Structures are given as structure tokens and as C-alpha cells.
Amino acid sequence: MSYILTLLAKRLAISALLLLAVSALIFAGTEILPGDVAQSVLGQSATPEALANLRRDMGLDEPALSRYFGWLGGIVQGDLGTALTNGTDIADAIGKRLYNTVFLASTAAVVAVPLAISLGLLAVLYKNRWPDKLISGTTLAFISLPEFFIGYLLIYFVAVQLGWFPSVATVYDSMTFAERLNAVALPAATLTLVVLAHMMRMTRAAILNVMQSAYIETAELKGLSAFRIVAKHALPNAIAPIVNVVMLNLAYLVVGVVVVEVIFVYPGMGQYLVDHVSKRDVPVVQACGLIFATFYIGLNMIADIISIVANPRIRHPR
Amino acid sequence: MFSRIPISAIIGLTITSLFLLTAAFAPWLAPYGLAETVGGVWEPMSSQFWLGTDNLGRDLLSRMIYGARTTIFIALLATAISFLVGSILGLTAAVIGGWLDALLSRFVDLLMSIPTLIFALVVLSVLPANLLTLILVMGILDATRVYRLARAVAVDINVMEYVEAARLRGEGRVWIVFREILPNALTPLIAELGLRFIFQVLFLSALSFLGLGIQPPDADWGGMVKENKDGIIFGIPAALIPAAAISILAISVNLVADWILNRTTDLKGGRSGQ
């Protein structure tokens, strides 16, 4: 047991270290210009006096390293700084949007994960027959579709022509849960379609991989029932790869959400990030970038942890 | 040889070449100018305007044709940069090894632990909005994936007898990278080329759609989706046309890449049977 704990502790430590490095990279990414943030806020035509003033206000006259640690220290205490464009507190502005984004992504995940796994199982069950070919062909086409094509197709046909769901996903505080679900129906459907194809194909590959192992053949030759083979031999070995697939695709959801929120004008993190990139509001971009990266790293870490815990070979080391 | 090309690959090759020809001969094919206002706003499809007009009354077909040029040209350039940077660094890391390999590989791990789109947004929030920056950012961020592939392939080749022989007869590192390893690593890298190109097309389209890629009045397909998206809720499908073009291009390149990938695994006696 202690062996697993050591492995888990190691994985946690790596993630923490990675997160620290990522924060440094995101900070450095906004420092790579020959000019600086003040220059990009005021534009090329700014007077030297105005530049100097803004630099002093933003603390840009301090060395980069001390600004980085100041920024990081603030984040650890929950202070994300203030937005350049309107002087509001970033943590306040992000709070509700983060909830909205997580709500949208989880709705998509709740639909996509069971659907992808059952489609993947179906494809394996009917391998090389028409259900498998149909599912695999359709998903191959879907992998190449950009999010906005799926999104606008849904808006054009489902929202505008049929009028089933609203085309713009407006949400506000006084909404009931059902109203909220209705509002995010189309964006969640878009996200689902975007990740479904990948998730299904990878699930199919993962299960096929397990089913072709020598121990499954042995179990078949021993004369075990099909149920016992799947339940006792295939499933324990397939859990880790499937969970891995699910987590990797949920991590992809983090990125897909940015474009989808812009398509449906949904008040979430992605929309907030994109708005402030074009306004060149660096503190907001840094904060959002770090939050997105944290989710991404976190999901990848959970994938690893589950495959450590689910792997019988690691659970019982020789 | 050609009789053994599967039908899906032929379809892919045909459509891809059509797109490439359109991009190459855009000024001769387009009936109207790129930024020329020729009619009313969002006119429907007609014999005069085959695909209708856009949000400013410009001919949509002409803009689609010029857009093909912009989209494909920039995606090709970015792919070229990512391959050049990624494969040279990857091969070098594999051959030299040691601290250089460790340093580069850990840095690539770090870059890849941030979603590409998110990091591109972070960097583009400070960089000047011009074409060169865009292409460099797209190319360098994607070079991480090429690096991993090139390094993995080169590490395998690096221990082959013929590389050992080249080392023993005293060839320099440059010779070993370019004359011994590169020719043998080329096949998997070329198979990857198509996939990276699709990724760049989708990436550029996403950036332009978010308003951070190609700036108007120039147009690529992603930017055209953005320009015409407000018409959708009034039932005007103009934005769907460039979005569909991106999808068709991506699918047809995918079909070709799939075929090449299967062929190369056939050659190596690999997983094609599965």
C-alpha cells in the first residue's frame, strides 16, 4: 500500500512543480516583447511621459523577477490583480464566469462520456461489421470539423429553423436549474460532438487492445463464460486506458470551451479571456491562462492517478 | 501502383488538389475583387453571385477563393516552420543526448502542458498583430509535437549499425543528422505532415474566428465565419460556407494522411492489420 502512496505523492509533487513552471512560462510569455505591457496598452503613438507614468502605476519599473513573485504571491492568496481596461478586481469578475464555464463543461461531459464509452463498446462488439464501420466513419469525419462549424450548424438548423433551443446562451443568477440546462443545451451539444469522436475512437482502440491480449485468449480457451471474461479479465485492465481517454478528452474540453463560448455568447471564462486578449489586458490574460492551464494539468494528473490506482500490477508490486 | 490507392484516398487527393489549385490561381479565378463592394448586404445565391454576398455586400465566392489562398498559404508556412524547427531540434537532441536532450525535452513537456490555443492567446495578447508574428507563433507552438515525434524516431535510428559505422569512420554530427538519420526518419515525418497541416488550418481558423488571426480587410476562412456570423440568427447561412470549406479541406487532407500512414505502417510490417 505504501508503494502506491509514494507513487501518488510523487505524481502530486510533479504536478505542483509543473504548475509552478507553467506560471513562470505564462508570465514570461507576456514579457517576450522588446517593448512592454505599457507600450501595448497605449500603442505606438504614446508620449514618453504617459508611458513612464503607466509603467510606474503598473509597477513595470521593477525587475521582472520581483514582479513575477509579487504576482505569484498574490495568486496564492486569491488575489489575481486588477484589470487594466476597467480597473475591476479580476478574481471577482472570474468567480461567476468560472462557475458558468464549469457548468457548461460538466453538462457536456455528463452526456459525452457515457455516450462515447457505449459507442466504443458497440463498435468493438460489432467489429468490422456495419455498426462499427458506421460509427468509425462518422467519427472520422467529425474529428476534422472545427467547433464553429458544428456550433453554427446547430444554431442555423436547431435554433433558427426549428426553434427548439435559444441560439444565444444567456444565463443569469435567478435562473432555475432546468432553465439553465435549456440555455446551455446547444453549446453543450457542440462540445459533446467535438470530443465525442476522439473519445469514442480512443475507447474503441483501448478495449480492442485489451481484448487482443494473450490472457483474454487464455480465458477463452479455459472455457470461461463471455460475461466472466469481460467482467473479471477485460474490464480491470481496460479501466485504466478508458479513464485515461476520458480525462485526456475532458482536458481537451477546456480548450474547446473557449471557442464554443464565443459562438454562443456565453458569459464564461473563455469569452472573458478572448475579449481581454484583443484589448491587450495582460493581467486578465495571465490570470485566465493560468486557470485554464491548472484545469488542464489537474485533469491530466487525475488521469495518471486513476491509472496508478486501477493498475493491478502497480497495486501488487513484486 | 495507382490501382491500389483506396477510393477514399483518391477522393481526398482530388479535393485537396482542387483546393490547392484554387489557392494558387486565386486572382484569375475570382470573379470580383477581394474588398470590392458589388451588391447589397447578404444577398442570396444567384447567377450573378454564386454564393451570395457577405455582410458588407462583397461577393462571397471571390472572398472564398482569396480566403483559400490566405488560409492554405499561412497554414503551409506555419507547418514548414514547425517541421523545420521541430525536426532539426528533435534529431539533434536525439544524436547529442545528455543535458541538451534533457533540457529541450523538459522544455517541450512544459510547453505542451499548456493547451496550445490558451498559450497562443497569452502570447498574442502582447505581440504586435501582424502576419509574421502569427505564423511564427503558430509554427513554434506546433513544433513541440514534431520535436517529440522526430526525437522518438531518431532515438531508435541512432542505435542502428549503419549510424554506428558512420560514427566509427569519423563522420561529424552534422553528417550523422542529415545523411544518416534524416533520410530514415523521413517516412514517419512525412506521414505526420498532413496531420500537422490540418491542425494549422484549424488553429488559424480558430484564431481568426476569435478575431486574433488575419485582420480585415484580408480574409481567411475563419475570419469570414466571424464576419458573417451575425446573419445566422436571421437565417442567413453565409457563415456556414467558409466553415464548411474548412471542414472539407480538413477531411480530405485527413483521408490522404490516413492512407499514407497505413502505407508506411505496411512497409514496416506494423499495425495495419489491426
Side-chain angles (χ1 to χ4, degrees):
Chain A
M1 199 59 210
S2 68
Y3 178 64
I4 288 195
L5 288 182
T6 328
L7 271 183
L8 292 185
K10 227 184 247 172
R11 190 61 188 81
L12 279 174
I14 290 175
S15 298
L17 212 64
L18 189 59
L19 207 53
L20 189 71
V22 161
S23 76
L25 189 63
I26 286 179
F27 190 83
T30 56
E31 297 276 326
I32 48 177
L33 261 195
D36 59 11
V37 180
Q39 185 84 56
S40 62
V41 169
L42 295 176
Q44 291 299 324
S45 55
T47 60
E49 292 80 20
L51 273 178
N53 276 334
L54 188 66
R55 279 196 187 118
R56 197 168 345 99
D57 290 345
M58 292 170 66
L60 285 177
D61 39 7
E62 284 177 47
L65 206 61
S66 74
R67 271 184 294 126
Y68 168 66
F69 284 112
W71 176 68
L72 197 63
I75 286 174
V76 173
Q77 297 164 20
D79 170 22
L80 296 176
T82 50
L84 288 182
T85 35
N86 51 13
T88 51
D89 188 60
I90 298 176
D92 280 351
I94 281 182
K96 207 171 289 164
R97 287 167 175 276
L98 188 60
Y99 170 74
N100 286 344
T101 296
V102 171
F103 183 80
L104 172 59
S106 341
T107 313
V110 166
V111 182
V113 172
L115 199 59
I117 294 180
S118 14
L119 282 178
L121 276 171
L122 207 65
V124 172
L125 230 50
Y126 292 96
K127 187 172 168 259
N128 290 335
R129 280 188 275 163
W130 69 265
D132 178 31
K133 286 192 174 144
L134 181 71
I135 296 174
S136 300
T138 320
T139 49
L140 185 68
F142 262 94
I143 283 178
S144 315
L145 302 187
E147 291 94 343
F148 46 78
F149 188 45
I150 301 176
Y152 284 125
L153 272 181
L154 286 179
I155 293 186
Y156 186 70
F157 288 107
V158 181
V160 177
Q161 307 273 0
L162 296 171
W164 288 353
F165 294 103
S167 61
V168 173
T170 327
V171 288
Y172 39 87
D173 286 341
S174 56
M175 267 179 154
T176 64
F177 187 71
E179 284 172 336
R180 211 173 250 273
L181 274 186
N182 188 48
V184 302
L186 287 187
T190 309
L191 275 177
T192 304
L193 288 173
V194 168
V195 292
L196 188 65
H198 262 121
M199 216 188 299
M200 177 264 147
R201 286 178 77 85
M202 288 160 78
T203 309
R204 176 179 178 275
I207 301 176
L208 271 184
N209 199 18
V210 171
M211 292 302 283
Q212 282 166 352
S213 323
Y215 54 79
I216 297 289
E217 203 175 335
T218 312
E220 273 167 15
L221 293 176
K222 274 198 301 190
L224 294 185
S225 67
F227 177 77
R228 249 186 103 76
I229 294 176
V230 172
K232 291 288 271 187
H233 295 263
L235 202 59
N237 289 293
I239 286 178
I242 290 177
V243 168
N244 234 319
V245 167
V246 168
M247 284 300 158
L248 287 179
N249 282 285
L250 291 189
Y252 180 73
L253 219 55
V254 171
V255 188
V257 101
V258 174
V259 176
V260 170
E261 282 181 7
V262 174
I263 298 172
F264 290 92
V265 206
Y266 183 73
M269 289 280 298
Q271 172 95 349
Y272 188 61
L273 171 61
V274 171
D275 275 355
H276 287 81
V277 170
S278 37
K279 288 179 193 159
R280 299 186 172 271
D281 193 333
V282 175
V284 175
V285 174
Q286 284 172 335
C288 291
L290 191 60
I291 291 175
F292 274 116
T294 309
F295 270 95
Y296 195 72
I297 293 171
L299 286 167
N300 277 307
M301 182 186 74
I302 295 173
D304 280 2
I305 288 181
I306 293 178
S307 46
I308 291 174
V309 174
N311 189 339
R313 272 164 300 204
I314 298 179
R315 234 179 9 236
H316 307 290
R318 265 174 285 173
Chain B
M1 174 204 169
F2 286 101
S3 61
R4 285 187 53 221
I5 301 181
I7 185 84
S8 61
I10 294 179
I11 297 173
L13 275 173
T14 316
I15 301 178
T16 309
S17 355
L18 277 180
F19 272 119
L20 288 177
L21 288 176
T22 310
F25 298 107
W28 292 277
L29 290 174
Y32 300 95
L34 170 70
E36 190 184 342
T37 309
V38 291
V41 171
W42 281 321
E43 277 184 30
M45 297 180 187
S46 62
S47 57
Q48 193 187 0
F49 310 117
W50 287 5
L51 295 178
T53 59
D54 76 349
N55 63 325
L56 295 177
R58 297 167 294 194
D59 180 46
L60 199 59
L61 177 65
S62 308
R63 279 181 79 73
M64 285 294 299
I65 293 173
Y66 280 105
R69 182 171 242 205
T70 317
T71 305
I72 292 174
F73 178 65
I74 293 180
L76 278 178
L77 272 183
T79 314
I81 291 177
S82 74
F83 262 80
L84 225 62
V85 175
S87 54
I88 289 181
L89 287 182
L91 298 182
T92 315
V95 171
I96 294 184
W99 63 268
L100 182 81
D101 183 22
L103 189 77
L104 277 172
S105 297
R106 291 298 81 73
F107 184 68
V108 166
D109 287 351
L110 178 62
L111 267 182
M112 289 183 80
S113 68
I114 308 177
T116 313
L117 181 66
I118 303 291
F119 195 61
L121 291 182
V122 169
V123 181
L124 287 175
S125 72
V126 289
L127 289 175
N130 59 41
L131 216 54
L132 183 67
T133 324
L134 186 69
I135 296 173
L136 281 178
V137 168
M138 286 170 55
I140 290 173
L141 285 183
D142 202 43
T144 52
R145 292 188 172 79
V146 182
Y147 170 88
R148 275 203 178 164
L149 179 71
R151 184 186 168 278
V153 173
V155 163
D156 281 349
I157 299 175
N158 198 26
V159 291
M160 296 281 182
E161 285 86 356
Y162 54 83
V163 181
E164 204 56 36
R167 243 184 226 119
L168 288 176
R169 69 174 185 260
E171 304 289 3
R173 271 173 184 155
V174 176
W175 173 283
I176 294 197
V177 168
F178 286 100
R179 297 301 295 272
E180 304 291 338
I181 293 185
L182 187 62
N184 292 292
L186 218 50
T187 324
L189 282 177
I190 286 175
E192 181 76 2
L193 198 67
L195 299 180
R196 295 328 321 155
F197 174 70
I198 299 172
F199 178 83
Q200 295 289 14
V201 168
L202 293 175
F203 193 40
L204 172 70
S205 307
L207 284 176
S208 293
F209 171 71
L210 297 175
L212 303 162
I214 309 293
Q215 300 300 325
D218 279 334
D220 70 322
W221 290 336
M224 291 174 61
V225 175
K226 180 189 163 67
E227 287 168 3
N228 294 302
K229 67 178 178 179
D230 297 329
I232 293 268
I233 44 172
F234 304 116
I236 297 157
L240 293 177
I241 295 171
I246 299 167
S247 314
I248 295 171
L249 176 64
I251 292 175
S252 35
V253 178
N254 231 331
L255 289 175
V256 180
D258 220 43
W259 166 59
I260 299 179
L261 215 61
N262 279 335
R263 263 181 55 112
T264 51
T265 43
D266 273 352
L267 290 179
K268 284 158 73 186
R271 359 158 244 173
S272 65
Q274 282 185 16

